[in-house]
């Protein structure tokens, strides 16, 4: 395993901590996945890309990672609390479909969008509906511990009783007394002993579409329960990393901690990681504000707020240019800048493929050049080891790219950095961009063949001094984002930055 000084910010301790796996080289990571009742949007892209990068980097460090990301297909109610309709069932009624048709449809589109964003598939992707027996068993266990009670076929977690021995609110910093005094009188609140209590199992009304038999009657599981059941089944009672968006910190993750301690007598995870929220033009993203953009709309440009389409890799690059714990603001200006940055890196990859080491005794090695390369490589790794700071790592990759471009133009000769240094530069840049950051070239079908043929015509026109044809080809290629490069010994092309 690669020696490292990896540190990550633990929401639980509110500080950066050295990462020490519970059972090295194995690492268990659970990330809250989507509730599948609509198309994936920007809010889904950020945690997917954030924890995909964490997954990639941990594997690069030599850890054997079991990455579990769930699919919520039952129990997530419209109010994100204990009342209201099931989000999937509500959608099913509107579209006159079976709830599982809705869940399957949007699971499929979520996977499609995640593939376009080049996220690796998790090791296990369990569904809430596939783990009803495990959830019922957990409820029984919490009841047996005296920390839950049944009312009219529903079962609630007794937060006040739990708080007598454990601290409810330690993850979010919420104070239970404040939660009690600040709570509103909600519909169905009368069933609960206290306002802060949350549902483990809900009694289903006759018209409720998604329901199962249980010891307390016909009902369905609470939203928080599924993650405790699935994480403990596949990763054990106490695992390494639990991730998700900041919006899940309270109450969802807070309730998971309470459930885990109640039935398993231990915190579910050692480290809690949360990516920050997304804003659009400085405003919080939301359907009610009319600034809600799905990934498919971004990729096609079919939204009033978009000036153009933005490719999946542009979106991935943009998300990586901000630290995952910082707020990320989407705007056309910022996305266009990301598009340029992404193309620069991809042009760099294409240049790396063309470069080859040539040696000459006439040129001495330049130790300063090699020091600069080694420093940039070291800084890129240091950035990743500092709580997965992809934004800083990308900055150091651009320093490496300057050296690569200098090799390409002849300003820097391979002999000046030696064969070992040359290979280290090319390999590190390529690996970082493709394997750690997960970026790839978005090739158009038959692009290479068409470009090759056009450049042949361009070369012939230039040789014949047919400058009108030369200008026409240049202009046509520029319209599709391709720049012709006239070099000393050849004619090449690059993506317009």
């Amino acid at each position: 395993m690669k020696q490292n000084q990896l540190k990550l910010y633990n929401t639980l301790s509110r500080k950066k901590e050295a990462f020490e796996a519970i059972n090295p080289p194995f690492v268990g990571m659970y990330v809250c996945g989507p509730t599948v009742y609509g198309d994936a949007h920007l809010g889904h892209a950020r945690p997917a890309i954030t924890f995909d990068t964490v997954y990639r980097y941990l594997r690069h460090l030599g850890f054997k990672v079991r990455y579990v990301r769930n699919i919520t297909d039952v129990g997530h109610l419209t109010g994100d609390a204990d009342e209201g309709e099931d989000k999937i069932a509500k959608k099913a009624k509107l579209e006159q479909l079976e709830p599982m048709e809705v869940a399957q449809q949007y699971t499929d589109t979520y996977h499609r969008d995640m593939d376009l964003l080049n996220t690796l598939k998790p090791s296990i992707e369990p569904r809430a509906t596939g783990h009803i027996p495990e959830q019922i068993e957990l409820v029984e266990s919490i009841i047996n511990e005296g920390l839950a009670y049944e009312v009219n076929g529903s079962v609630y977690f007794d937060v006040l009783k739990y708080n007598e021995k454990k601290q409810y609110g330690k993850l979010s910093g919420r104070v239970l007394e404040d939660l009690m005094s600040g709570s509103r009188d909600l519909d169905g609140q009368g069933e609960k002993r206290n306002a802060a209590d949350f549902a483990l199992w809900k009694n289903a009304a006759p018209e409720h579409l998604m329901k199962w038999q249980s010891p307390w009657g016909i009902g369905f599981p609470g939203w928080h329960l599924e993650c405790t059941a699935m994480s403990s089944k596949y990763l054990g009672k106490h695992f390494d990393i639990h991730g998700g968006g900041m919006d899940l910190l309270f109450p969802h993750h807070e309730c998971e901690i309470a459930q885990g301690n109640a039935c398993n007598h231990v915190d579910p995870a050692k480290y809690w990681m949360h990516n920050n929220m997304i804003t659009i033009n400085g405003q919080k993203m939301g359907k009610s504000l009319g600034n809600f953009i799905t990934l498919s709309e971004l990729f096609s440009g079919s939204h009033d707020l978009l000036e153009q389409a933005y490719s999946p890799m542009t979106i991935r690059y943009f998300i990586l240019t901000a630290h995952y714990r910082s707020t990320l603001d989407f705007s056309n200006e910022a996305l266009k800048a990301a598009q340029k940055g992404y193309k620069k890196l991809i042009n760099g990859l294409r240049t790396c493929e063309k470069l080859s080491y040539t040696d000459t005794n006439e040129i001495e090695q330049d130790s300063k050049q090699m020091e600069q390369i080694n420093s940039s490589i070291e800084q890129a790794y240091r950035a990743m080891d500092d709580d997965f700071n992809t934004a800083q790592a990308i900055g150091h990759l651009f320093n490496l790219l300057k050296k690569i471009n200098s090799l390409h133009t002849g300003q820097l000769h391979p002999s000046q950095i030696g064969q070992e240094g040359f290979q280290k530069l090319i390999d590190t840049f390529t690996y970082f961009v493709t394997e750690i950051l997960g970026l790839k070239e978005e090739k158009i079908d038959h692009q290479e063949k068409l470009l090759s043929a056009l450049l042949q015509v361009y070369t012939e026109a230039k040789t014949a001094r047919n400058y009108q044809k030369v200008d026409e080809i240049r202009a046509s290629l520029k319209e599709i984002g391709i720049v012709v490069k006239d070099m000393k010994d050849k004619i090449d092309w690059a993506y317009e930055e």
Side-chain angles (χ1 to χ4, degrees):
M1 186 180 298
K2 180 181 180 290
Q3 291 297 312
N4 67 91
Q5 297 293 317
L6 176 62
K7 290 185 177 181
L8 55 82
Y9 184 86
N10 190 351
T11 310
L12 193 60
S13 65
R14 294 166 181 76
K15 63 183 181 182
K16 287 181 189 176
E17 298 178 12
F19 178 72
E20 295 177 359
I22 297 167
N23 184 29
F26 302 99
V27 169
M29 181 170 76
Y30 186 91
V31 176
C32 290
T35 301
V36 283
Y37 70 103
D39 286 324
H41 52 71
L42 290 174
H44 293 116
R46 193 168 197 192
I49 290 168
T50 294
F51 293 102
D52 178 64
T53 309
V54 171
Y55 181 36
R56 286 170 179 271
Y57 194 62
L58 286 172
R59 295 204 313 180
H60 170 62
L61 294 179
F63 291 106
K64 299 181 185 301
V65 186
R66 177 178 288 176
Y67 172 20
V68 181
R69 185 184 67 205
N70 72 298
I71 294 287
T72 295
D73 56 359
V74 69
H76 195 169
L77 305 184
T78 50
D80 290 344
D82 295 333
E83 302 303 323
E85 283 188 86
D86 183 290
K87 291 185 176 186
I88 292 167
K90 181 180 180 180
K91 185 79 169 181
K93 284 179 186 175
L94 286 172
E95 298 191 6
Q96 296 184 313
L97 297 170
E98 281 291 325
M100 283 300 100
E101 281 185 273
V102 171
Q104 189 63 52
Q105 176 186 337
Y106 291 113
T107 298
D108 289 346
T109 57
Y110 175 78
H111 286 153
R112 176 203 67 198
D113 290 339
M114 293 307 107
D115 287 344
L116 289 170
L117 291 170
N118 201 32
T119 62
L120 300 174
K121 295 186 188 305
S123 316
I124 303 172
E125 193 173 50
R127 294 183 181 219
T129 53
H131 297 77
I132 300 297
E134 289 88 346
Q135 293 178 76
I136 289 172
E137 191 177 323
L138 281 184
V139 177
E140 290 177 318
S141 175
I142 295 171
I143 290 173
N144 291 337
E145 292 289 335
L147 293 173
Y149 55 92
E150 184 266 336
V151 182
N152 301 326
S154 294
V155 181
Y156 295 97
F157 190 95
D158 194 331
V159 172
L160 280 184
K161 197 163 186 182
Y162 170 81
N163 207 54
E164 291 172 6
K165 293 183 178 179
K166 297 286 184 178
Q167 182 191 351
Y168 182 80
K170 68 178 183 177
L171 181 69
S172 61
R174 307 285 180 103
V175 178
L176 185 57
E177 288 74 14
D178 294 343
L179 291 171
M180 300 286 289
S181 62
S183 63
R184 295 180 293 131
D185 185 21
L186 300 171
D187 291 339
Q189 189 69 63
E191 284 191 343
K192 299 181 184 181
R193 291 177 184 172
N194 299 289
D197 294 351
F198 58 89
L200 298 171
W201 186 266
K202 287 284 289 181
N203 178 50
E207 67 274 12
H208 198 90
L209 294 176
M210 306 173 79
K211 50 197 173 188
W212 292 263
Q213 186 64 53
S214 80
W216 317 283
I218 295 174
F220 56 93
W223 175 36
H224 314 306
L225 189 66
E226 63 177 271
C227 289
T228 299
M230 292 186 284
S231 64
S232 58
K233 175 168 183 173
Y234 297 112
L235 298 174
K237 295 177 181 179
H238 185 59
F239 51 92
D240 297 281
I241 298 171
H242 194 311
M246 192 70 77
D247 55 326
L248 298 177
L249 199 154
F250 186 87
H252 188 53
H253 291 164
E254 197 74 74
C255 293
E256 280 189 66
I257 288 180
Q259 290 167 166
N261 277 284
C263 59
N264 297 327
H265 309 289
V266 66
D267 275 3
K270 183 177 180 181
Y271 305 97
W272 289 80
M273 294 179 67
H274 293 90
N275 63 273
N276 213 325
M277 298 291 91
I278 285 175
T279 56
I280 297 183
N281 298 320
Q283 275 192 315
K284 182 182 176 182
M285 185 182 75
K287 288 182 179 178
S288 60
L289 295 171
N291 62 356
F292 189 85
I293 306 177
T294 67
L295 292 175
S296 59
E297 286 172 334
L298 267 169
F299 302 157
S300 65
S302 58
H303 191 286
D304 290 343
L305 290 175
L306 298 174
E307 293 176 8
Q308 62 175 72
Y310 298 99
S311 75
M313 286 299 97
T314 297
I315 301 302
R316 183 178 180 105
Y317 175 86
F318 181 64
I319 286 173
L320 293 172
T321 56
H323 189 270
Y324 75 89
R325 285 192 291 113
S326 65
T327 304
L328 182 60
D329 187 56
F330 274 75
S331 66
N332 281 284
E333 292 73 22
L335 287 169
K336 286 174 185 175
Q339 191 174 51
K340 286 185 177 181
Y342 159 69
K343 286 180 178 179
K344 280 182 181 177
L345 288 183
I346 298 306
N347 282 334
L349 286 181
R350 295 187 66 255
T351 302
C352 285
E353 290 174 2
K354 297 168 189 169
L355 291 174
S356 58
Y357 184 77
T358 54
D359 206 349
T360 174
N361 295 325
E362 297 172 6
I363 301 176
E364 291 184 7
Q365 285 198 14
D366 186 338
S367 59
K368 187 178 179 182
Q369 291 285 349
M370 205 55 234
E371 282 172 16
Q372 290 171 351
I373 290 168
N374 283 331
S375 175
S376 293
I377 291 172
E378 184 185 333
Q379 293 294 332
Y381 273 107
R382 193 175 291 175
M384 290 301 295
D385 287 338
D386 184 16
D387 195 27
F388 306 97
N389 196 329
T390 54
Q392 285 188 6
I394 287 170
H396 298 300
L397 289 180
F398 277 118
N399 288 333
L400 293 179
L401 180 56
K402 288 176 186 175
K403 301 296 183 188
I404 291 165
N405 287 335
S406 293
L407 286 168
H408 189 46
T409 58
Q411 290 173 291
L412 179 66
H413 194 279
S415 292
Q416 289 177 266
I417 55 176
Q419 187 164 4
E420 187 179 331
F422 174 86
Q423 207 57 52
K424 185 178 182 181
L425 169 62
I426 301 301
D427 290 350
T428 303
F429 180 84
T430 302
Y431 188 87
F432 238 99
V433 172
T434 60
E435 299 302 319
I436 294 177
L437 299 181
L439 296 167
K440 64 179 182 179
E441 183 178 358
E442 293 172 312
K443 292 184 179 179
I444 305 165
D445 289 344
H446 310 302
Q447 175 178 284
E448 294 284 352
K449 288 182 180 178
L450 286 170
L451 280 171
S452 180
L454 268 174
L455 289 179
Q456 182 62 38
V457 175
Y458 177 91
T459 305
E460 290 168 0
K462 193 170 183 185
T463 303
R465 298 188 177 184
N466 184 351
Y467 297 120
Q468 183 180 347
K469 176 63 73 177
V470 166
D471 291 341
E472 285 174 2
I473 295 173
R474 270 187 172 277
S476 297
L477 287 172
K478 193 170 184 181
E479 282 181 12
I480 60 169
I482 300 294
V483 177
V484 178
K485 293 199 164 188
D486 290 297
M487 306 183 75
K488 288 180 182 178
D489 56 343
K490 60 182 176 180
I491 292 170
D492 202 357
W493 66 270
Y495 293 106
E496 185 179 20
E497 298 167 3

